[in-house]
Amino acid sequence: MAKRIATSILTFFGTLVLTFILFRLLPGNPVTILFRNPQLTHAQIVLLAQQFGLDKPLWVQFLLFVENVFKGNWGISFFYRAPVTSVLFPDLLNSIILLLPATIIAILIGVGLGILSGWKRNSKTDVGILTSSLVLYAIPTFWLGILFIMLIVRVGGLPVAGMVSIQASSGPPLVYLESLARHILLPMTTLALVTLGQFTIIMRSSLLSELTEDYVTAAYAKGMSGSRLLRKHIVPNALLPTVSIIAISIGTIVAGAVLTETVFSWPGVGSLIYDSIGRRDYPVLQGAFLIVALFVIVANFVADLVYAYLDPRVKYS
């Protein structure tokens, strides 16, 4: 366990280094991008760079960045002129509102379809589920989102942008929740569909692998029914590798959320990242990517704990 914790800490520190370096490789000066004023003099640009700490050597900027991260001071946004935490955390909550139900739906439906497909292997059901899963897995998130928008614009009935309507944002809680439910339907469906395909494929493959094990043949020889064997033995064993791969796939889900939020103008971390790249808002980008990295690291750590719980043979020193 101690080794796993140490690995997670080292991974987070490596993320700090990469986060700091990657955004400074972007072309363009954030000062000149933020202040698109042709009348700015060189002296004024230098003064603004000093105010944002961009005049210091990179290694000094990095040390200050690491120190501030562990102090909980993630800097001041270049664009919003406000602490990064006050900019980031409201959008983070909006992203969780979208990500959590979409991920749960994708996992439940994907794993369920994978079990059905593997159990009915080589049947029409298996071929249909596998083909659909491969298509969904291959579809770009933004393309499916745009397709839904075009369909809804033509048919009508659902909002295609934003999180709630202007009227509902200041209305009673029930009106707010009703508007939220209508606005979240399209982005949640998009994110769930492009994600569940991989869970279906993973679960099917794991189940097929379990069906070749000797204990399955022995159970049939003892007269155990297929449904009981599937429920009591095959599915629990097939879930073991699936749990780890689902955790690894969390990063893919978060990346899909960036595109989904951008397409549907959902005010979450994904949209914030997209806008901040164009603004070269380093503090916001660093904070957003650290949150995403922490999310993935914690998900993998929890998956290891769940794996050890499901399989007592696995022990972490």
Side-chain angles (χ1 to χ4, degrees):
M1 181 60 67
K3 185 182 295 184
R4 191 68 186 87
I5 294 173
T7 303
S8 298
I9 293 173
L10 286 174
T11 303
F12 181 68
F13 184 77
T15 304
L16 285 177
V17 177
L18 287 175
T19 300
F20 179 84
I21 293 174
L22 285 175
F23 295 122
R24 280 157 180 79
L25 293 177
L26 292 172
N29 186 329
V31 173
T32 56
I33 290 174
L34 285 172
F35 302 96
R36 293 183 175 90
N37 188 342
Q39 297 180 352
L40 277 179
T41 65
H42 177 72
Q44 289 172 322
I45 292 175
V46 171
L47 179 61
L48 289 169
Q50 290 174 349
Q51 290 178 351
F52 286 114
L54 296 172
D55 61 319
K56 294 180 175 64
L58 284 178
W59 67 271
V60 175
Q61 293 184 43
F62 175 71
L63 292 178
L64 290 172
F65 166 61
V66 174
E67 180 184 356
N68 289 331
V69 164
F70 287 103
K71 284 182 177 179
N73 175 17
W74 290 14
I76 303 295
S77 167
F78 295 166
F79 182 80
Y80 295 99
R81 313 290 198 279
V84 169
T85 50
S86 67
V87 174
L88 187 59
F89 287 121
D91 285 353
L92 176 62
L93 178 60
N94 294 339
S95 289
I96 292 173
I97 291 173
L98 173 61
L99 269 172
L100 192 60
T103 304
I104 292 173
I105 291 170
I107 291 174
L108 292 178
I109 296 178
V111 169
L113 289 176
I115 293 172
L116 178 62
S117 180
W119 187 244
K120 300 287 186 179
R121 61 193 182 282
N122 300 327
S123 66
K124 292 182 179 179
T125 301
D126 178 30
V127 173
I129 293 175
L130 183 58
T131 303
S132 302
S133 301
L134 290 171
V135 170
L136 289 174
Y137 184 65
I139 288 178
T141 307
F142 70 90
W143 185 85
L144 183 61
I146 293 172
L147 189 66
F148 277 147
I149 290 174
M150 293 172 61
L151 178 64
I152 295 301
V153 167
R154 185 177 294 273
V155 176
L158 286 174
V160 296
M163 185 172 173
V164 292
S165 63
I166 297 175
Q167 296 82 359
S169 60
S170 57
L174 288 178
V175 175
Y176 182 91
L177 291 175
E178 189 272 337
S179 179
L180 175 62
R182 296 181 72 249
H183 280 78
I184 201 176
L185 189 58
L186 282 181
M188 182 181 67
T189 303
T190 301
L191 191 56
L193 283 176
V194 298
T195 307
L196 71 84
Q198 60 181 324
F199 296 144
T200 302
I201 296 168
I202 291 166
M203 190 63 199
R204 178 185 182 275
S205 176
S206 182
L207 194 81
L208 290 177
S209 177
E210 288 299 319
L211 288 173
T212 62
E213 296 293 331
D214 293 337
Y215 75 84
V216 175
T217 305
Y220 275 126
K222 291 178 181 179
M224 183 178 291
S225 66
S227 60
R228 187 168 185 271
L229 175 62
L230 179 69
R231 186 175 65 257
K232 294 290 186 180
H233 299 286
I234 298 176
V235 170
N237 289 333
L239 280 173
L240 292 175
T242 306
V243 167
S244 296
I245 298 174
I246 285 175
I248 295 171
S249 302
I250 293 295
T252 307
I253 296 172
V254 173
V258 173
L259 295 173
T260 305
E261 289 179 5
T262 303
V263 170
F264 290 98
S265 300
W266 185 269
V269 173
S271 296
L272 185 63
I273 289 173
Y274 180 82
D275 294 336
S276 297
I277 289 175
R279 298 163 180 161
R280 302 299 188 270
D281 198 343
Y282 296 153
V284 171
L285 287 170
Q286 289 167 174
F289 270 73
L290 285 179
I291 287 292
V292 171
L294 264 177
F295 187 74
V296 175
I297 291 169
V298 170
N300 280 275
F301 183 74
V302 171
D304 284 339
L305 297 180
V306 172
Y307 196 103
Y309 173 78
L310 292 175
D311 190 353
R313 295 170 299 176
V314 177
K315 298 296 179 184
Y316 293 108
S317 57

